[in-house]
Amino acid sequence: MSADFSFSSYRALLQAFADRDYKAMSYADADPARRHLILRHDIDISLGAALPIAEIEREAGMAATYFVMTRSEIYNPFAPDGARALAHIVDLGHRIGLHFDAALYGPGQQLDDAAARECAVLGKIVGQDVHVISFHRPAPALIGRAGTIAGRRHAYEPRFFAEMGYCSDSRGGWHRGAPLNHPAVRAGTALQLLTHPIWWLDPAAEPAARLDRFLDTKFAALDRELAEHCEVHVAGRRVVR
Ligand SMILES: [Zn+2]
């Protein structure tokens, strides 16, 4: 099933929330009992894919929180393209949080220390303190975990996950119902809306095909980069041995 995920449908979704008197709020300020909307983006795959979404939110007058990984094998917030994209997102008035992969740390390691270190690294890149964390593919024990991590709020706290509505576009679809049909929205109370910008880039394609296209683009960029930094490699040429 391919949901109608496109820039125009995202714009329309924000407008529909505005028409219902919803206001986009930060994690710190959102009140579960009010018409508050937390716009959350977990960046799993591409910082660049977040830019058009960040622009649309700016046009709508809504600020979101973009959760960014520091230890991804897929993108690098320190690399020039990544750092530029992050700076642009901040310039548009959005907040940056840490997208934290707890699975990278062994059971004996302190998650609070690890998260604090990653927040410090990300804070250096964006030039501001990072106050909020979302877990990447959280283990069941982390979902609904009460209390802070590394002294910071996290997106799966009961306040944001149970006391208010929660809706996600995970795996490229509204698998648990569309946000406007959520009981919290019908009741006029708060919603945390998690979207992943990569799913909204290419409305014609199924989710798996969107990832294939992303991979083609990524490979072409890597090919050019390799040619630039190593003269043995010639861009566009594959040596078959
Ligand atoms: Zn994730």
Side-chain angles (χ1 to χ4, degrees):
M1 180 210 65
S2 181
D4 173 28
F5 287 167
S6 63
F7 296 151
S8 59
S9 63
Y10 190 69
R11 200 174 281 117
L13 181 60
L14 296 186
Q15 185 60 51
F17 274 105
D19 291 345
R20 288 163 174 75
D21 290 329
Y22 272 80
K23 287 194 167 44
M25 303 298 284
S26 69
Y27 282 84
D29 295 330
D31 179 346
R34 300 183 64 188
R35 291 177 183 266
H36 285 172
L37 176 66
I38 295 179
L39 292 169
R40 163 183 166 194
H41 304 288
D42 284 357
I43 309 297
D44 289 335
I45 294 170
S46 167
L47 282 165
L51 291 179
I53 294 293
E55 299 270 6
I56 289 167
E57 289 162 340
R58 169 65 176 241
E59 286 163 22
M62 291 183 168
T65 305
Y66 286 79
F67 289 92
V68 175
M69 302 178 107
T70 63
R71 300 189 63 198
S72 170
E73 300 280 7
I74 306 176
Y75 68 85
N76 179 0
F78 268 112
D81 281 354
R84 256 194 305 274
L86 265 180
H88 193 172
I89 289 169
V90 171
D91 282 349
L92 290 168
H94 302 297
R95 305 171 195 90
I96 303 297
L98 174 69
H99 196 39
F100 182 63
D101 188 355
L104 295 177
Y105 300 93
Q109 290 179 273
Q110 285 294 325
L111 284 189
D112 284 281
D113 291 348
R117 200 165 51 241
E118 290 198 32
C119 282
V121 165
L122 187 57
K124 290 273 187 231
I125 303 173
V126 297
Q128 56 183 241
D129 289 342
V130 171
H131 296 294
V132 61
I133 293 170
S134 75
F135 294 112
H136 172 65
R137 298 173 65 91
L142 295 174
I143 298 175
R145 181 189 194 270
T148 58
I149 177 163
R152 293 162 174 90
R153 309 301 305 255
H154 75 85
Y156 290 104
E157 280 180 46
R159 180 175 180 81
F160 307 119
F161 198 69
E163 292 172 30
M164 61 178 71
Y166 173 82
C167 183
S168 160
D169 69 348
S170 292
R171 292 176 289 122
W174 301 124
H175 294 287
R176 294 186 177 188
L180 295 172
N181 294 332
H182 195 287
V185 177
R186 290 180 181 276
T189 57
L191 183 78
Q192 177 183 193
L193 177 61
L194 166 59
T195 53
H196 300 74
I198 193 79
W199 298 135
W200 299 76
L201 272 184
D202 194 350
E206 292 293 320
R210 291 176 217 185
L211 295 183
D212 282 347
R213 289 185 193 175
F214 166 77
L215 208 49
D216 288 345
T217 310
K218 190 83 180 169
F219 177 82
L222 195 56
D223 189 40
R224 285 194 302 275
E225 203 62 22
L226 198 55
E228 194 168 310
H229 291 277
C230 178
E231 58 195 22
V232 172
H233 181 70
V234 176
R237 185 189 66 181
R238 303 294 296 272
V239 177
V240 179
R241 288 191 285 179

